[in-house]
Amino acid sequence: MKKSIFLLLLLCLLAAMTVSCGRSSNPDECKHRRLTETQFEPDCSLEGYVLHTCTDCGHTYKSDIVEPTGHKMVTTVTAPTCTDEGYTEFACSVCEYTYRADYKEPSGHTLTSRITPQTCTKEGYTTYSCPCGYSYRTALVVPNGHNLSKTTVAPTCSADGYDRYECNVCDYEYKTDFTSMAHDFDVTVTASTCVNEGYTTYECEKCDYSYKTAYVAPTGHDCTPKTTAPTFKDPGFTVYSCKCGFSYIGDYIWHSNLFSGVKGNEKSAFSCGVDLSYHNKTVDFEALAEDGVDFVILRAGYLRNGRANTDEKFEEYYEAAREAGLDIGVYIYSYDTSVDDLITNTTAMLKVLKNKTFEYPIYLDIEDTSQKSLSEETLMEMCTEYCELLVQNGFYPGIYSYRNFINYYMDPQYLTARFETWVAHYLDEDDDHYAKQYNMWQYTEEGSVDGVTGDVDMNICYKDYPTIIKKYGYNGYNK
């Protein structure tokens, strides 16, 4: 039983391998049962048909054959030109097929002529032109040359004479044989002014001709300055005046720009000097100058008991210092304890200073023991009123005292910010240079210098007082 079943299965397998849906390995034996159809439309040069393809063996064949449609030609005629041949172009409106036929020979140029006659200076010629743009020239004819006539123009005093040649045919002309007649000039020189240039004028006496030459630039204003010094209420200024009448005001300056401190140090010293009074019995001012002293501050006197007292050596020392070429300043020692007494006594002392010139300030020496009992306000008011009084009378003021008096009894910041300040302070050998906001420093009372017997007060100044005082007309320099 099992053997029968096995044989049956083997027979079925062999049958399946022999036949697969009717397909054969030999095309001639294929039944062409699986076919595809592809439609191809006819065009201008190719036929249309249906293509049958067997998907089993690849065999193909055609059916339903349709003839080509043929070309649908469009004609375009190109006419011949002067230089190019003409033709008819046939082009299929369906495909890209084209060809040309019916060629025509070029027509050749159709020429017209135009004559340009010769002139005085240019050649004549004939121009041959075709409507297509082609042209050429021929038959050149030489120029005629100018047909000249001569006219003589006589000279005048303002214009040259000449012979003028003019062509009778064209606009050509030229002049030759120039002859001139000089003007009879009257010469006037106009000098330049501050704002207008100078020049020389030439005018013909026979005609209206004239001209200017030799120009000279304006000289510009030559201004002379006159300076008005500032007061404590009004600014100072300089008036610059020119001899032509022009003037202007400039260089405004307030008292605070002049009467204020500079911070002194050993590198900024401007000048060196001594202060003297009758206590210095013997002084050789020539020797002082030769020893390098730049200035002297002389005691004019002192204010005490309601009156002004002149130092007995002041007049003598002033004349000697002036003769030696030294710059001079003044100090006035005050014992006053009220503003009114100070003003009264100072007014009297100023009479001693009249008709003299000073290159350094007029200092108020305020340091007396009697003044230590005064309030700071009173002392500062005394300094203020003193300085205002001097400025109003044309003097350049300053305040002198020693360091401790200033620091303990006065207002140092107000003092140095508003007034010229001369301070006395003697340093030990180990101390640095005294660097504070003071204009002049009295650094010793035991100094030694040629020309003075014994000890003398020595000073360093940090401000250029001579230039300032002379510029603004203080201390007698306004005369």
Side-chain angles (χ1 to χ4, degrees):
M1 183 67 180
K2 290 182 178 179
K3 290 182 178 180
S4 299
I5 295 173
F6 175 78
L7 290 174
L8 180 62
L9 291 175
L10 180 61
L11 291 173
C12 290
L13 178 61
L14 290 174
M17 291 177 63
T18 304
V19 179
S20 175
C21 299
R23 181 177 181 179
S24 174
S25 59
N26 187 350
D28 294 334
E29 297 176 359
C30 181
K31 302 301 181 179
H32 306 310
R33 297 177 181 177
R34 295 185 181 183
L35 295 173
T36 61
E37 295 181 356
T38 303
Q39 178 74 41
F40 290 92
E41 298 295 333
D43 61 16
C44 298
S45 57
L46 298 176
E47 63 184 4
Y49 55 88
V50 176
L51 180 66
H52 302 270
T53 303
C54 178
T55 60
D56 291 329
C57 66
H59 174 71
T60 62
Y61 68 92
K62 298 179 181 179
S63 68
D64 302 320
I65 304 298
V66 179
E67 293 295 323
T69 60
H71 293 295
K72 296 180 180 181
M73 304 303 289
V74 177
T75 60
T76 302
V77 178
T78 299
T81 66
C82 300
T83 57
D84 297 324
E85 62 186 1
Y87 55 87
T88 300
E89 183 174 74
F90 298 86
C92 180
S93 62
V94 177
C95 66
E96 297 179 354
Y97 174 74
T98 63
Y99 70 94
R100 293 179 180 179
D102 299 332
Y103 285 91
K104 307 280 186 176
E105 292 293 327
S107 61
H109 294 296
T110 303
L111 297 173
T112 60
S113 63
R114 180 172 59 85
I115 298 174
T116 300
Q118 72 272 32
T119 66
C120 298
T121 58
K122 295 181 180 180
E123 297 172 326
Y125 52 87
T126 300
T127 302
Y128 294 90
S129 302
C130 179
C132 72
Y134 171 77
S135 68
Y136 68 95
R137 293 177 180 179
T138 187
L140 295 178
V141 182
V142 297
N144 292 325
H146 293 296
N147 183 9
L148 297 172
S149 63
K150 175 182 175 183
T151 302
T152 300
V153 177
T156 67
C157 65
S158 59
D160 293 330
Y162 53 86
D163 290 332
R164 182 172 64 233
Y165 292 87
E166 298 175 287
C167 181
N168 298 319
V169 178
C170 66
D171 294 334
Y172 173 77
E173 68 172 300
Y174 70 94
K175 299 175 182 178
T176 187
D177 297 330
F178 281 84
T179 56
S180 61
M181 183 176 292
H183 292 288
D184 189 2
F185 285 118
D186 182 19
V187 180
T188 303
V189 177
T190 301
S192 59
T193 66
C194 299
V195 295
N196 298 317
E197 61 186 359
Y199 50 86
T200 300
T201 304
Y202 292 83
E203 297 178 286
C204 182
E205 296 180 349
K206 298 179 180 179
C207 66
D208 294 333
Y209 177 73
S210 67
Y211 69 95
K212 296 177 181 178
T213 187
Y215 285 90
V216 180
T219 60
H221 294 296
D222 183 13
C223 291
T224 301
K226 182 177 181 181
T227 301
T228 299
T231 67
F232 281 87
K233 295 181 179 179
D234 300 313
F237 54 88
T238 300
V239 177
Y240 295 87
S241 302
C242 181
K243 59 185 178 182
C244 72
F246 171 79
S247 67
Y248 69 96
I249 299 175
D251 300 337
Y252 284 91
I253 187 168
W254 292 87
H255 68 86
S256 58
N257 299 123
L258 292 183
F259 310 131
S260 60
V262 293
K263 189 171 184 179
N265 59 69
E266 66 272 16
K267 296 182 180 180
S268 64
F270 172 75
S271 57
C272 299
V274 299
D275 54 276
L276 304 169
S277 69
Y278 80 97
H279 294 290
N280 307 100
K281 300 299 182 182
T282 304
V283 180
D284 183 344
F285 287 90
E286 295 290 344
L288 276 177
E290 292 177 2
D291 198 25
V293 172
D294 301 306
F295 66 90
V296 294
I297 307 296
L298 305 177
R299 189 177 81 152
Y302 59 94
L303 310 178
R304 189 174 191 177
N305 298 327
R307 57 177 296 181
N309 302 276
T310 305
D311 188 293
E312 61 188 61
K313 287 286 189 177
F314 175 67
E315 296 291 345
E316 174 190 343
Y317 285 177
Y318 175 84
E319 295 298 333
R322 185 59 71 213
E323 186 174 349
L326 293 167
D327 288 332
I328 304 172
V330 164
Y331 75 93
I332 303 170
Y333 192 93
S334 174
Y335 294 92
D336 293 320
T337 56
S338 71
V339 175
D340 291 340
D341 287 345
L342 175 66
I343 296 304
T344 299
N345 295 333
T346 301
T347 301
M349 182 59 72
L350 293 182
K351 296 177 182 179
V352 179
L353 306 182
K354 285 188 175 182
N355 301 320
K356 294 180 175 63
T357 55
F358 304 95
E359 294 75 32
Y360 279 74
I362 312 301
Y363 292 99
L364 172 66
D365 186 344
I366 185 165
E367 58 174 309
D368 195 71
T369 303
S370 63
Q371 296 164 336
K372 291 182 178 180
S373 61
L374 302 177
S375 66
E376 178 184 299
E377 290 75 11
T378 299
L379 288 172
M380 297 314 299
E381 185 180 0
M382 291 172 68
C383 293
T384 300
E385 293 299 326
Y386 169 83
C387 290
E388 288 187 351
L389 174 65
L390 261 69
V391 169
Q392 290 172 6
N393 284 272
F395 292 99
Y396 195 96
I399 305 296
Y400 168 88
S401 191
Y402 59 92
R403 187 191 68 168
N404 288 343
F405 191 94
I406 293 173
N407 289 342
Y408 291 113
Y409 301 101
M410 306 175 79
D411 183 344
Q413 292 183 345
Y414 182 85
L415 185 72
T416 58
R418 190 171 175 83
F419 309 120
E420 306 292 341
T421 309
W422 174 21
V423 63
H425 180 57
Y426 311 139
L427 300 176
D428 297 332
E429 292 182 359
D430 296 334
D431 288 343
D432 293 331
H433 193 89
Y434 188 55
K436 296 290 183 180
Q437 205 75 9
Y438 299 110
N439 307 102
M440 191 157 69
W441 173 36
Q442 186 184 91
Y443 61 91
T444 183
E445 62 182 351
E446 298 177 347
S448 176
V449 66
D450 292 348
V452 179
T453 302
D455 294 337
V456 65
D457 296 341
M458 302 293 294
N459 303 275
I460 296 175
C461 181
Y462 304 104
K463 197 167 183 177
D464 185 2
Y465 286 121
T467 297
I468 296 173
I469 288 172
K470 291 176 183 178
K471 177 179 179 179
Y472 292 97
Y474 289 105
N475 295 353
Y477 279 100
N478 57 345
K479 301 299 182 183

